[in-house]
């Protein structure tokens, strides 16, 4: 299948770069896209599905979602997989349904019920405690999580019936409020829908459990949908079924964006063909330019990655930043 050269179109104040060109090395597509992950599927399973859809092995995701969760899953293709680590520090926005009066061993509805009560506080009581869970907080990771302690994944220890002491982490919750946006259908008794914007490493399951403890009735996470991770938004997300349709129609590459969108705050630096070749080979380039990080492009406008310019005894030295494409 012949895919035309890259082009870009404006949509609001954001420019989307549709990569419509197969890379010459291995016929792989390089770039990124936003997936609307379905519930009941692991992030790893999504990646495997996309490998088949795009007919290439180089596919990775930038931020795991629990199997029960749905929504935004950033995915990177080809050499763009090296850019996945750059989205890990981005803040995230979720729609979360909290169910009062129940606690589980996993802190979500998929776990084994530990306690349950029919004596439930009302919406006013829940609203009154929400401000206590905004700002900078200390949160202890749950046992059922992928966090490593002493080289072991916590969820593996939890499945073996082992619970160990975990060190609390500092997180930031900048938004925590009721939402009337219908993400999950009609709520049941004791269920409320919240919108949460938080820093990396925040466990929404643990947030719900902590809120339930503050109310004295216990609580668990009943539904979770990620709406945003940095520049990746649910409005731009593709379902796996939609990508299958686009593959059949020959329009699959239109879902892919250039990784330079992750670095729009950096100044652009256009290289000559000779300097672009040196950068591609991993060699330094000496040029007159202010020190700092820059976005690098070859003479054809192809994004090469993020470079860093350092002062030397000669002229400033430009090299590709470690970990970029």
């Amino acid at each position: 299948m012949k895919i035309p050269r890259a082009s870009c179109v404006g949509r609001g104040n954001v420019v989307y770069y549709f990569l419509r060109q197969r890379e010459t090395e291995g016929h792989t597509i390089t770039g990124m896209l936003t997936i609307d992950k379905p519930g009941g599927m692991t992030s790893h399973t999504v990646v495997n599905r996309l490998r088949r859809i795009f007919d290439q092995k180089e596919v990775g995701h930038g931020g795991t979602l629990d199997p029960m969760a749905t929504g935004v899953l950033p995915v990177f293709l080809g050499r763009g997989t090296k850019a996945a680590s750059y989205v890990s520090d981005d803040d995230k926005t979720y729609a979360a349904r909290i169910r009062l009066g129940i606690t589980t061993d996993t802190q979500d509805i998929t776990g084994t019920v530990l306690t349950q009560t029919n004596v439930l506080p009302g919406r006013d009581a829940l609203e009154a405690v929400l401000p206590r869970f905004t700002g900078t907080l200390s949160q202890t990771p749950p046992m059922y999580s992928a966090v490593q302690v002493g080289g072991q994944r916590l969820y593996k220890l939890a499945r073996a019936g082992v619970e160990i002491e975990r060190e609390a982490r500092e997180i930031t919750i900048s938004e925590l409020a009721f939402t009337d946006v219908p993400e999950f259908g009609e709520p049941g008794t004791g269920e409320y829908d919240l919108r949460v914007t938080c820093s990396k490493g925040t466990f929404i399951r643990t947030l719900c459990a902590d809120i339930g403890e503050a109310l004295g009735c216990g609580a668990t996470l009943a539904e979770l949908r990620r709406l945003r991770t940095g520049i990746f938004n649910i409005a731009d997300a593709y379902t796996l079924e939609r990508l299958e349709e686009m593959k059949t129609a020959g329009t699959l590459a239109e879902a892919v964006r250039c990784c330079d969108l992750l670095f729009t705050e950096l100044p652009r630096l256009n290289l000559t063909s000779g300097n672009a070749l040196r950068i591609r080979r991993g060699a330094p380039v000496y040029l007159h330019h202010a020190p700092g990080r820059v976005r690098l492009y070859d003479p054809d406008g192809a994004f090469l990655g993020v470079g860093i310019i350092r002062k030397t005894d000669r002229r400033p030295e430009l090299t590709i930043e470690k970990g970029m494409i």
Side-chain angles (χ1 to χ4, degrees), residues 89-143:
D89 290 338
D90 291 337
D91 62 352
K92 301 165 178 60
T93 298
Y94 296 91
R97 174 164 290 175
I98 184 173
R99 181 178 298 178
L100 304 182
I102 183 173
T103 65
T104 70
D105 58 350
T106 60
Q107 299 181 336
D108 63 38
I109 204 62
T110 67
T112 301
V113 175
L114 301 177
T115 66
Q116 195 163 5
T117 179
N118 293 322
V119 181
L120 304 178
R123 178 185 172 113
D124 290 344
L126 175 57
E127 187 172 17
V129 303
L130 293 185
R132 293 164 53 180
F133 294 93
T134 58
T136 301
L137 308 170
S138 180
Q139 187 183 74
T140 302
M143 280 300 301

Side-chain angles (χ1 to χ4, degrees), residues 17 67 78 87 96 177 213 234 259 267 305 316:
Y17 293 85
V87 305
E213 184 177 355
I234 194 64
C259 293

Side-chain angles (χ1 to χ4, degrees), residues 216-230:
C217 63
T220 195
L221 177 66
E223 302 272 5
L224 184 66
R225 183 163 175 77
R226 187 153 67 190
L227 305 177
R228 183 186 63 84
T229 296

Side-chain angles (χ1 to χ4, degrees), residues 297-308:
Y297 297 83
D298 71 10
D300 293 327
F303 178 55
L304 299 177
V306 172
I308 184 166

